[in-house]
Amino acid sequence: MVNVQCSMKKMKVLVATEKPFSKVAVDGIKAVTDAAGYELVLLEKYTEKSQLLDAVKDADAMIIRSDKVDGEVLDAAKQLKIVVRAGAGYDNIDLAAATAHNVVAMNTPGQNANSVAELVFGLLVFGIRNFFNGTSGTELKGKKLGILAFGNVGRNVARIAKGFGMDIAAYDAFCPAEVIEAAGVKAAKSQDELFETCDIVSLHIPATPETKQSINYDLVGKMKKGGILVNTARKEVIDEPGLIKLMQEREDLKYLTDIKPDADAEFAKFEGRYFATPKKMGAQTAEANVNAGIAAANQIVGFLEKGITKFQVNK
Ligand code: 3PG
């Protein structure tokens, strides 16, 4: 059980963001921590792990984004009681190490989902119009979109796709077909079926031992001629050598992502068929920063003051 008793010392909340929040989000976080009587410390755009190790030394709570919190960080964070990943995916936190250090780990599910979903369509319009190179592209209307995983982002993608007049299908190993159908989306029976039947597949799966490198040569190879794969999930889910081999063999396929692959230079050779944003951009809107950042701050206050553990992801 984590000790959440308050002492006379001010609680210190560290915002450690290699990719900073917008100012309006930081102001919102500060308003929450000020109201609780906590001290807020910012470590933004840090370039060395040593800076993080130094900054966490006396932090009671920490808000992060894709920043890595591993055993070494937790060893250095002697006072830490809670770390909140302001966002959905928490594969950047060593959960077992957090539990071993008596640190509660949380995420803020759904808070940046619309932002990520809107970026999917930004990438798609750019991709399907041939990267705005002046040639005639095609339209999203009438195309079949496959959504892999029907969580918060997948559902927002489906909502927006309806406005484009797309034919929408989804597959989620953990979400019943009835729930998908109730959202007005066709439920594919399998991941294979989704890839076989859709013109475009958008990935919204987390990076887990089961999903890592699961988007591979065979699976993407099932896509129809002219297929587009969009990845705003995690680079780890892609079998990069497999996708490179496939794109070499099939000049009709496009890969669009906001997470630079490790093999970016190899992919970059597929001119006009590959695009990656320089930084992960899915959740990089003022609105998403405000939603996720303030939710994280509120979750910290709720935990430290009342022991609320909703959204805890480690046990
Ligand atoms: C998430 O998991 O919430 C998204 O991938 C956003 O990540 P970011 O906060 O690093 O932009």
Side-chain angles (χ1 to χ4, degrees):
M1 193 52 202
V2 179
N3 176 13
V4 293
Q5 276 191 336
C6 294
S7 65
M8 293 307 286
K9 177 183 146 290
K10 255 191 175 187
M11 288 284 176
K12 189 164 173 175
V13 179
L14 172 69
V15 177
T17 45
E18 180 274 323
K19 188 177 59 187
F21 288 123
S22 63
K23 185 181 179 309
V24 63
V26 174
D27 291 347
I29 292 168
K30 188 161 171 11
V32 174
T33 51
D34 280 356
Y38 299 171
E39 184 189 352
L40 187 74
V41 178
L42 294 181
L43 175 69
E44 294 180 322
K45 292 187 189 168
Y46 60 95
T47 49
E48 306 297 328
K49 190 177 185 183
S50 57
Q51 295 171 272
L52 178 60
L53 294 176
D54 195 45
V56 293
K57 270 185 194 149
D58 55 353
D60 296 284
M62 176 158 52
I63 297 174
I64 54 163
R65 296 185 64 178
S66 290
D67 308 80
K68 285 207 168 26
V69 173
D70 58 15
E72 196 185 357
V73 173
L74 290 158
D75 280 343
K78 300 277 182 251
Q79 310 287 331
L80 196 68
K81 297 152 189 70
I82 175 167
V83 54
V84 184
R85 192 282 190 246
Y90 45 86
D91 47 302
N92 49 321
I93 304 176
D94 183 334
L95 295 185
T99 303
H101 284 78
N102 235 4
V103 171
V104 166
M106 294 187 188
N107 67 347
T108 64
Q111 299 290 350
N112 59 20
N114 180 67
S115 176
V116 179
E118 284 191 12
L119 186 74
V120 169
F121 291 90
L123 291 169
L124 273 178
V125 171
F126 180 60
I128 208 159
R129 298 291 182 102
N130 300 335
F131 297 6
F132 303 152
N133 70 358
T135 64
S136 290
T138 53
E139 300 182 13
L140 292 176
K141 187 178 177 187
K143 297 286 179 309
K144 187 158 181 181
L145 171 68
I147 301 172
L148 186 58
F150 207 59
N152 289 306
V153 181
R155 286 162 211 236
N156 275 282
V157 168
R159 172 180 55 77
I160 299 169
K162 286 177 193 168
F164 275 96
M166 300 185 82
D167 181 12
I168 315 158
Y171 176 74
D172 189 318
F174 303 97
C175 179
E178 307 82 71
V179 174
I180 294 173
E181 301 274 350
V185 172
K186 292 186 187 97
K189 288 189 180 57
S190 65
Q191 194 166 263
D192 283 9
E193 182 190 305
L194 200 72
F195 278 81
E196 272 159 18
T197 57
C198 292
D199 304 296
I200 296 162
V201 173
S202 188
L203 306 176
H204 302 292
I205 45 177
T208 65
E210 293 75 33
T211 63
K212 281 185 183 164
Q213 295 178 28
S214 64
I215 309 304
N216 57 26
Y217 177 90
D218 288 341
L219 187 63
V220 185
K222 293 181 191 296
M223 288 190 84
K224 295 188 214 168
K225 190 165 187 304
I228 303 178
L229 179 66
V230 189
N231 182 12
T232 54
R234 287 291 179 272
K235 69 176 177 184
E236 290 83 359
V237 303
I238 303 286
D239 165 19
E240 294 186 8
L243 185 56
I244 290 168
K245 181 170 181 283
L246 185 68
M247 288 179 74
Q248 278 162 351
E249 290 170 13
R250 284 190 48 180
E251 293 190 0
D252 58 301
L253 292 177
K254 286 181 181 159
Y255 179 47
L256 314 171
T257 183
D258 78 325
I259 318 126
K260 248 189 205 312
D262 292 333
D264 175 56
E266 281 301 298
F267 279 104
K269 290 179 188 157
F270 302 119
E271 218 189 311
R273 297 196 287 135
Y274 164 71
F275 176 77
T277 57
K279 278 216 169 207
K280 194 161 151 222
M281 289 301 295
Q284 202 60 328
T285 64
E287 293 89 340
N289 291 174
V290 165
N291 293 344
I294 293 178
N298 280 321
Q299 286 171 218
I300 285 170
V301 175
F303 175 69
L304 292 176
E305 301 300 323
K306 298 183 184 151
I308 297 170
T309 54
K310 192 173 173 195
F311 303 126
Q312 181 173 357
V313 293
N314 64 331
K315 295 293 162 219

